[in-house]
Amino acid sequence: MISNQLLRSTSLATCLSLMAFGSASAEMIKIGVLAPLTGATASDGEEFIRGVEWAVEEANAKGGVAGYTFEIEVADVKDHSAANVSSAVERLLGTDGVEVILTGYASLSMFEVDLMAEENMPYIAAGPSPGFAAIVSQDPEAYNCCWSYTASFKGYETDVLPMVQELAEAGAVTIDDKTVAIISSDNPYSKTISEGMKASFSEGGWDVVVDELVPFGEVSDWKVILAKVNQSNPDLVINTDYIPGNSALFLKQFLVDPTDSLMFLQYAPSVPEFVDLTGEQSNGVLYNLINGPLDSPKWPRGQELMQQYRDKFGIESGAYGVGLYEMANMYFAALEKVGDATDHDAIGVAIGETKVATAAGNVEFDPETHVALQSNDHVPVSFWQLWDGERTMVGPDVYSNGEFRLPPWMSGN
């Protein structure tokens, strides 16, 4: 259920400020936000809004940016279907005063990038970067309005295997047969990652002993698939279904009769809802993030913003609360540089010139794809383990804030 605070944020009251030389009030413009307000990913949508609301409140309290103050205009993408995303995009594009649109993710294929380019609407998204890159790379200059805060997803496909191998080499876990079970949901995000993982593990000499794809949407029972997992007893179980409720149910049903396997769940454990649903059952679960906040003393901005989010909203941020705050501030920096919110060409170019330390790492864009660069020196692939409701970053070493622990269902405990 969407809170009253979030509903109010769709039409935030703005603070009028005096211009530099006295009497004129700042002009108000609107920041469009595409967010799932209903459905299985509504908890993410709430984070989108909180992050932008936070940035807008700060900017307005300082008197605005370049002579402008801000309101938020939210459009519900619901289930992320093409029809619902198109309807939400068209509503924002048709709303007077909307000069930029932000989202965590709207569609999973990123087709809306074309809609933004047709209207030359500045657009910053943190959705699936492979789809974003595939569209923009055809003609980068035609998409100067559109930029992906999310870095390349290649690390999602390739970096789990070396992480597991490093754990084995350190003696933290025993790999018996080099076998992996990979389960995915039939959507562009989950399927692209799982297909890349299958290739990575196969090339690394592992056997994919379970390979399952479920229809996209709510999954009510994983028992048939888990029976196959139980029969094969793999060294590693991976599920790339990103919906927190689905992932939580998968874990709970796995733990009824667990195999002696590491458990890696894509994205979902980063969402606070997942921990609420699983509690101590999630102890030992692994996941990774690209563009997730680096909540570590080794990256002070990430740790500071995560704490500020907790203080302001009384809850934890997943990937998107702090992330949308950073994206809104990237727009404000571009607006400050250009000075005219209606000069969308210049705003788009200014966003593309961004080089800034964010909670997720150093953001700089690839000019050929408009996707943020991914590396340990830019936006890293961070690996996490859940324990007692807390998230410990176990890799990479340059950012980690704790050590891996063998999950309680595995032998040796």
Side-chain angles (χ1 to χ4, degrees):
M1 181 177 293
I2 304 301
S3 67
N4 290 336
Q5 180 186 29
L6 290 173
L7 291 174
R8 288 196 301 272
S9 72
T10 64
S11 57
L12 283 174
T14 61
C15 301
L16 294 177
S17 65
L18 295 179
M19 301 294 285
F21 296 102
S23 60
S25 294
E27 181 181 352
M28 188 276 293
I29 61 174
K30 295 179 180 179
I31 297 176
V33 181
L34 295 171
L37 303 182
T38 53
T41 57
S43 58
D44 275 350
E46 293 182 14
E47 279 202 23
F48 300 0
I49 298 168
R50 281 192 288 263
V52 180
E53 178 184 35
W54 177 17
V56 164
E57 287 179 352
E58 281 191 352
N60 286 347
K62 295 174 182 176
V65 177
Y68 298 94
T69 55
F70 308 94
E71 287 185 356
I72 299 174
E73 186 74 27
V74 180
D76 187 2
V77 299
K78 300 178 182 178
D79 61 356
H80 308 282
S81 67
N84 286 327
V85 172
S86 295
S87 177
V89 170
E90 289 168 5
R91 190 174 79 73
L92 291 181
L93 291 175
T95 299
D96 288 342
V98 171
E99 302 293 353
V100 63
I101 296 176
L102 308 176
T103 189
Y105 54 96
S107 76
L108 298 182
S109 66
M110 302 304 298
F111 77 85
E112 74 274 7
V113 170
D114 278 321
L115 302 179
M116 302 299 180
E118 289 172 7
E119 298 297 325
N120 198 27
M121 175 62 71
Y123 184 50
I124 310 176
S129 58
F132 195 104
I135 294 169
V136 170
S137 61
Q138 298 175 60
D139 187 359
E141 289 188 7
Y143 295 92
N144 270 341
C145 58
C146 300
W147 302 89
S148 173
Y149 176 77
T150 302
S152 169
F153 270 13
K154 196 63 180 177
Y156 277 152
E157 302 172 24
T158 61
D159 287 16
V160 174
L161 175 56
M163 180 273 296
V164 172
Q165 290 175 329
E166 287 176 11
L167 290 176
E169 290 167 3
V173 65
T174 300
I175 301 299
D176 295 320
D177 305 311
K178 291 188 175 181
T179 53
V180 57
I182 300 180
I183 300 97
S184 183
S185 172
D186 192 6
N187 65 79
Y189 171 87
S190 300
K191 191 174 180 181
T192 298
I193 293 171
S194 68
E195 290 299 318
M197 284 181 170
K198 282 185 278 186
S200 174
F201 276 93
S202 295
E203 291 167 5
W206 285 52
D207 290 327
V208 180
V209 292
V210 177
D211 181 2
E212 293 288 335
L213 184 69
V214 299
F216 179 51
E218 184 179 355
V219 178
S220 59
D221 196 341
W222 295 96
K223 291 176 185 174
V224 172
I225 291 174
L226 285 169
K228 297 178 182 180
V229 171
N230 196 274
Q231 186 175 16
S232 60
N233 191 30
D235 293 304
L236 174 64
V237 177
I238 296 172
N239 191 334
T240 67
D241 188 327
Y242 73 92
I243 296 176
N246 289 350
S247 191
L249 180 63
F250 181 84
L251 175 63
K252 289 179 178 181
Q253 293 187 335
F254 168 82
L255 290 175
V256 171
D257 187 16
T259 53
D260 193 28
S261 315
L262 286 173
M263 173 66 71
F264 180 92
L265 302 177
Q266 180 65 36
Y267 175 71
S270 72
V271 181
E273 178 188 355
F274 178 89
V275 175
D276 292 341
L277 291 171
T278 57
E280 291 185 358
Q281 290 176 302
S282 62
N283 286 355
V285 166
L286 291 163
Y287 67 97
N288 64 6
L289 285 175
I290 295 173
N291 283 86
L294 303 174
D295 191 0
S296 167
K298 296 179 181 178
W299 190 252
R301 181 162 182 84
Q303 188 174 53
E304 289 165 8
L305 288 185
M306 289 292 280
Q307 187 58 53
Q308 289 175 28
Y309 187 96
R310 294 183 195 104
D311 292 343
K312 181 173 180 61
F313 297 106
I315 55 176
E316 291 288 329
S317 174
Y320 290 108
V322 167
L324 269 288
Y325 171 86
E326 295 283 50
M327 289 160 60
N329 278 294
M330 287 165 57
Y331 170 69
F332 294 151
L335 177 58
E336 185 70 46
K337 184 176 183 179
V338 173
D340 181 357
T342 66
D343 189 349
H344 290 181
D345 286 329
I347 292 289
V349 170
I351 294 170
E353 293 171 346
T354 296
K355 293 182 181 180
V356 63
T358 74
N362 293 309
V363 169
E364 181 178 351
F365 295 108
D366 178 352
E368 297 302 314
T369 63
H370 294 191
V371 168
L373 298 175
Q374 191 272 300
S375 73
N376 280 353
D377 292 327
H378 291 97
V379 175
V381 182
S382 55
F383 283 87
W384 304 78
Q385 188 177 40
L386 287 173
W387 214 281
D388 295 331
E390 300 294 325
R391 294 172 169 80
T392 299
M393 196 191 320
V394 295
D397 288 342
V398 67
Y399 298 111
S400 63
N401 61 8
E403 300 292 331
F404 168 85
R405 297 163 63 184
L406 197 68
W409 62 84
M410 294 186 70
S411 61
N413 287 271

